[in-house]
Amino acid sequence: MNTKKYFITLFSFIIFSIYFTLSGVFVPFIASIPQSNGGFKTLSSQNDFYKMVDNFYDPDEFYNFRTDNQNINILANFYNTLNASSNFDVLTSFNQAIAVDDFNGDQRFYYNSDEFIDNSQSPTINIKALQLNQKAYDFYNIEVEGNSEIAWNSISYKDNSIPVLLGSEYKSFYKIGDIITGNYYSKNTNFEVIGFIETDCSINYKNTSNITLDTYMLIPYPSTLWEVDKTNFQFESLLYFAMINCDLLPFVEESQILKNIKSISDETGFSDFSLVGIDNFQIQHIELLLFIQKHHILFIIGFLIVFILLNILCLYLFNHILKSICNQSTLRKKHNKIFMLNIVIPYGSAFLLGTSLATLFIKKILPISIIIGIITLVLIYLINYLFLSKFLHVSSNLQQ
């Protein structure tokens, strides 16, 4: 009879392990489904922008990725395909210091503080610079004096010369046609002055700070990124990463945007990115999330039905364990031990195992999954304990 009791306990442990695993996978999907208005519950984008950032926080992982030319070509393809989408505009901007030699300007153009410069032994000066792609340039409506607009189609970065615009305060130090020599993403570059930005022109940089461009050098990004070979691609490895950390300006609803980004990610093979305010989990499983959104009532009802059926099965199995103990006095003395060994420990272990397996499967776990799992476990304990108490009461009456 003990063998049967152990088998029943093991069987119910396996059943609830499967249940907690599936619920641990299911609950994050339910918690992440798009709302009826097309928005996502965890979305925190501001002013309709989506901020895309790469996921390479570990320096070693970042180094290993960018020292492989095939990875850099994947990155280029990813950006080019993103930039070609009709569902959103890719606005790439980067507020980066540029190290220049023999700088003619004064401290108002310096990127670093006076204290930093005084303590530095380097003869180069870091000046304030802003890099933009054409879509960001047009979006911010940057105004230029005269007819000095950037010829975007000619921006290729194939040689060491790049045309630049200077802020209005530069006019006391440089003129159109002058060359500023500097280091740009590890590459010695000649920045050719082609014009000056209108006074007091400013942009809302990455939606967080206002930048007045009077003391800035504006460097245009290329419209299309190119493939690299194995010989020398250090410049591209830095440039391309800077350009995929961008803002996306949407033209369609969020679910369509995420489906588009997921499709581009699958097509190009690059997935090491996130959208700020939108979990990468949502991007990678957008099609399933939309399916669950459409049928979420049925999913929830089905989930509750499974829970009820599992508890009925559990009670049926537990009933067999209790009936195997024929001696009423023994049953009353050992009911707490039986409840602990056959319910509390195995089902608690099933919860821990199921939650761990669910985490391995979807690579994350939401707090709501833990909370719902604990509530479920407590309900199972309560239902079984009440059943045990009822069984003892009925059994005691029958003995009398």
Side-chain angles (χ1 to χ4, degrees):
M1 196 61 70
N2 280 339
T3 302
K4 184 177 181 180
K5 182 173 65 175
Y6 293 146
F7 173 78
I8 291 173
T9 301
L10 178 61
F11 182 66
S12 57
F13 165 77
I14 293 173
I15 289 175
F16 274 99
S17 294
I18 296 173
Y19 171 80
F20 282 121
T21 301
L22 294 178
S23 65
V25 173
F26 178 78
V27 168
F29 279 97
I30 283 292
S32 302
I33 61 173
Q35 299 176 0
S36 58
N37 62 0
F40 276 77
K41 293 181 180 179
T42 57
L43 179 65
S44 63
S45 298
Q46 298 178 357
N47 295 340
D48 296 326
F49 280 112
Y50 297 85
K51 296 182 183 300
M52 178 174 286
V53 295
D54 69 79
N55 290 338
F56 290 97
Y57 306 112
D58 182 86
D60 293 333
E61 290 184 5
F62 178 62
Y63 176 80
N64 291 333
F65 184 94
R66 69 181 184 84
T67 51
D68 186 329
N69 71 302
Q70 293 183 352
N71 290 336
I72 302 306
N73 288 331
I74 289 173
L75 204 60
N77 191 20
F78 177 71
Y79 175 84
N80 290 337
T81 310
L82 273 181
N83 202 35
S85 175
S86 60
N87 291 328
F88 49 78
D89 270 349
V90 177
L91 310 181
T92 296
S93 57
F94 193 19
N95 181 12
Q96 177 201 8
I98 298 295
V100 297
D101 300 314
D102 302 321
F103 184 62
N104 294 342
D106 55 31
Q107 293 178 337
R108 80 187 91 165
F109 306 101
Y110 295 173
Y111 181 87
N112 301 113
S113 65
D114 293 342
E115 182 180 2
F116 178 89
I117 295 173
D118 291 339
N119 293 329
S120 175
Q121 301 299 318
S122 174
T124 61
I125 296 294
N126 292 324
I127 64 170
K128 293 179 284 188
L130 181 71
Q131 294 92 66
L132 294 170
N133 69 349
Q134 183 176 4
K135 291 180 179 178
Y137 180 88
D138 292 339
F139 175 81
Y140 290 124
N141 194 28
I142 295 174
E143 298 180 353
V144 182
E145 295 181 357
N147 298 316
S148 303
E149 289 292 344
I150 298 170
W152 289 96
N153 292 333
S154 66
I155 306 298
S156 65
Y157 285 20
K158 292 301 183 181
D159 53 32
N160 292 334
S161 179
I162 299 176
V164 298
L165 297 173
L166 299 182
S168 59
E169 295 189 23
Y170 268 98
K171 288 188 290 184
S172 301
F173 304 94
Y174 291 95
K175 63 181 183 300
I176 293 176
D178 284 348
I179 300 296
I180 301 175
T181 303
N183 186 281
Y184 184 50
Y185 295 119
S186 76
K187 180 180 180 181
N188 292 327
T189 304
N190 294 323
F191 299 104
E192 180 184 356
V193 180
I194 63 169
F196 295 92
I197 303 169
E198 289 282 1
T199 303
D200 294 329
C201 185
S202 64
I203 69 167
N204 191 15
Y205 177 68
K206 292 190 180 296
N207 230 27
T208 58
S209 60
N210 192 66
I211 294 179
T212 301
L213 300 180
D214 293 345
T215 56
Y216 274 75
M217 173 194 289
L218 193 151
I219 305 172
Y221 275 139
S223 299
T224 303
L225 303 185
W226 54 93
E227 288 192 359
V228 299
D229 56 31
K230 295 182 179 180
T231 56
N232 183 14
F233 54 90
Q234 182 181 5
F235 172 75
E236 288 84 355
S237 71
L238 297 173
L239 172 69
Y240 293 4
F241 264 105
M243 293 185 67
I244 67 161
N245 286 269
C246 59
D247 291 329
L248 304 180
L249 178 64
F251 305 132
V252 295
E253 66 177 18
E254 287 127 8
S255 57
Q256 187 173 346
I257 289 171
L258 297 189
K259 287 177 69 175
N260 189 194
I261 294 174
K262 173 65 164 56
S263 175
I264 293 172
S265 175
D266 292 341
E267 176 187 341
T268 60
F270 182 72
S271 59
D272 292 306
F273 65 90
S274 298
L275 296 181
V276 176
I278 297 182
D279 201 307
N280 203 41
F281 170 83
Q282 294 171 324
I283 301 173
Q284 297 302 319
H285 301 94
I286 180 60
E287 294 179 356
L288 181 56
L289 288 172
L290 293 174
F291 177 79
I292 292 176
Q293 177 199 34
K294 185 177 180 180
H295 305 286
H296 67 280
I297 299 298
L298 292 178
F299 274 91
I300 294 173
I301 293 174
F303 188 74
L304 293 175
I305 290 175
V306 171
F307 173 74
I308 293 171
L309 291 177
L310 283 178
N311 274 281
I312 292 174
L313 178 61
C314 174
L315 293 175
Y316 175 77
L317 296 174
F318 193 31
N319 183 53
H320 277 276
I321 295 175
L322 297 176
K323 286 184 176 180
S324 68
I325 304 174
C326 301
N327 189 309
Q328 177 63 21
S329 60
T330 302
L331 178 61
R332 295 192 66 83
K333 290 178 181 178
K334 295 185 176 181
H335 71 279
N336 286 333
K337 182 179 179 181
I338 294 170
F339 183 70
M340 179 65 67
L341 294 178
N342 298 100
I343 300 296
V344 174
I345 293 178
Y347 295 174
S349 301
F351 166 69
L352 295 176
L353 176 62
T355 302
S356 300
L357 291 175
T359 305
L360 291 175
F361 178 76
I362 63 174
K363 308 301 182 184
K364 67 171 288 176
I365 193 70
L366 293 180
I368 191 173
S369 301
I370 302 292
I371 293 172
I372 291 179
I374 292 174
I375 292 174
T376 303
L377 190 62
V378 170
L379 287 174
I380 294 171
Y381 288 162
L382 181 61
I383 292 170
N384 280 271
Y385 189 81
L386 292 175
F387 172 79
L388 175 60
S389 301
K390 184 68 174 178
F391 183 91
L392 290 173
H393 178 71
V394 173
S395 180
S396 177
N397 290 338
L398 290 175
Q399 289 291 331
Q400 294 175 0

